[in-house]
Amino acid sequence: MAEEFPYAEVVGLDLVPPVDITDMPLNCRFEIDDANLPMPHYTNCFNVVHCRSLEVGIKDFERLIYEIALMLRIGGIALISGGEMQLYGEDQKVLPNVPVGTPGFSWTNFYLQALLKAHEHRGSTSGEAKVSWNKWLANNPNFERTESFDILIPIGPWQKGPDGRLECVGELMRLNVLHLFQSGRSAIIQDGNSEEIVDYWIRSAIREQEDMTLKASVRWRFTCAKRKDVQWIPPDD
């Protein structure tokens, strides 16, 4: 984002510091903070607030939308995007969660469902947030002109497009899923599963992705809204 808009000041926010900041643009900086907590120090600071795949770590996403409104200047834009932890088949229908070894079973789908359950057991509302944040934005008194659309992004280059871009996006999605297998390991183990079992699930899911036998997609939702020209209205507690 900082490279795309060199005239803007970009602030990245996360619970942990970035791994590599050697090539970070001069107009970008990172701050360590918890988006589950109130952030009055960012009041009226930004023209754009962009949240991508944030919902997994958020315990009350509807309340976070009020915090986003507080951060934005009048007329500012909220951009929220994220992918479901539920796969869709080649027919664009939800892949069923069937027992291991039965027709239609997918190790990738199995692992994503285990990760979703682990996060929900820790208080995450990610499952609800992905299908509701567009409604929460539309109903929030601080926002107007909410727009939202969904798109199925293939995992791997199995779906062909006219110019090769779809295959490229599919491969990037596959790499993201492979990264998610490892990054979600600790959460699934902490959810009561043994390291040996979880490592077996990861190996099986990685093998499925490397063999590219699974033709599936992830549904991503992209939503934007404009900050109203009104004094910030807090949530009703």
Side-chain angles (χ1 to χ4, degrees):
M1 189 71 75
E3 291 177 348
E4 186 73 17
F5 302 98
Y7 49 83
E9 181 184 0
V10 178
V11 180
L13 180 69
D14 206 339
L15 273 174
V16 295
V19 176
D20 184 9
I21 60 173
T22 55
D23 295 326
M24 189 166 64
L26 295 177
N27 62 323
C28 178
R29 74 177 190 272
F30 283 89
E31 297 185 4
I32 311 304
D33 214 328
D34 186 351
N36 286 298
L37 302 176
M39 292 181 281
H41 47 292
Y42 292 124
T43 298
N44 198 36
C45 281
F46 303 108
N47 294 320
V48 176
V49 174
H50 180 205
C51 303
R52 184 180 63 189
S53 300
L54 179 68
E55 62 281 352
V56 167
I58 300 301
K59 296 179 180 179
D60 188 346
F61 203 96
E62 188 172 10
R63 187 178 184 88
L64 175 65
I65 289 175
Y66 280 89
E67 291 295 322
I68 293 172
L70 186 63
M71 298 180 201
L72 284 168
R73 300 183 179 110
I74 298 299
I77 301 297
L79 302 171
I80 303 177
S81 63
E84 290 184 4
M85 287 192 186
Q86 169 66 64
L87 300 187
Y88 289 74
E90 197 172 2
D91 58 359
Q92 299 188 355
K93 295 180 180 179
V94 173
L95 282 184
N97 298 317
V98 298
V100 179
T102 58
F105 175 79
S106 161
W107 279 109
T108 302
N109 201 33
F110 176 86
Y111 190 85
L112 292 179
Q113 291 303 302
L115 183 57
L116 176 61
K117 290 177 183 177
H119 285 305
E120 288 178 343
H121 292 162
R122 299 169 69 179
S124 171
T125 58
S126 62
E128 181 185 11
K130 282 192 174 73
V131 298
S132 301
W133 71 48
N134 57 325
K135 294 181 289 186
W136 293 335
L137 270 170
N139 294 330
N140 191 294
N142 298 290
F143 286 102
E144 62 184 354
R145 296 175 58 182
T146 300
E147 298 181 14
S148 186
F149 70 93
D150 295 351
I151 184 172
L152 288 175
I153 299 180
I155 303 175
W158 60 269
Q159 194 171 355
K160 307 302 179 184
D163 57 4
R165 294 178 63 186
L166 187 58
E167 294 95 311
C168 180
V169 170
E171 178 59 19
L172 290 174
M173 188 72 244
R174 189 177 74 90
L175 294 176
N176 283 337
V177 169
L178 287 170
H179 174 74
L180 186 61
F181 292 156
Q182 295 296 339
S183 63
R185 179 179 181 272
S186 61
I188 298 179
I189 291 173
Q190 292 172 15
D191 199 41
N193 301 286
S194 70
E195 292 187 19
E196 292 77 13
I197 288 294
V198 175
D199 287 340
Y200 174 74
W201 294 349
I202 291 175
R203 289 195 302 271
S204 300
I206 289 175
R207 189 180 308 113
E208 182 178 77
Q209 288 301 315
E210 290 178 342
D211 294 343
M212 289 193 286
T213 55
L214 176 68
K215 292 185 177 181
S217 301
V218 176
R219 187 176 76 168
W220 279 72
R221 172 161 292 176
F222 300 87
T223 306
C224 65
K226 182 181 178 181
R227 177 72 164 85
K228 279 184 180 179
D229 188 1
V230 296
Q231 185 175 355
W232 182 72
I233 302 172
D236 295 326
D237 291 324

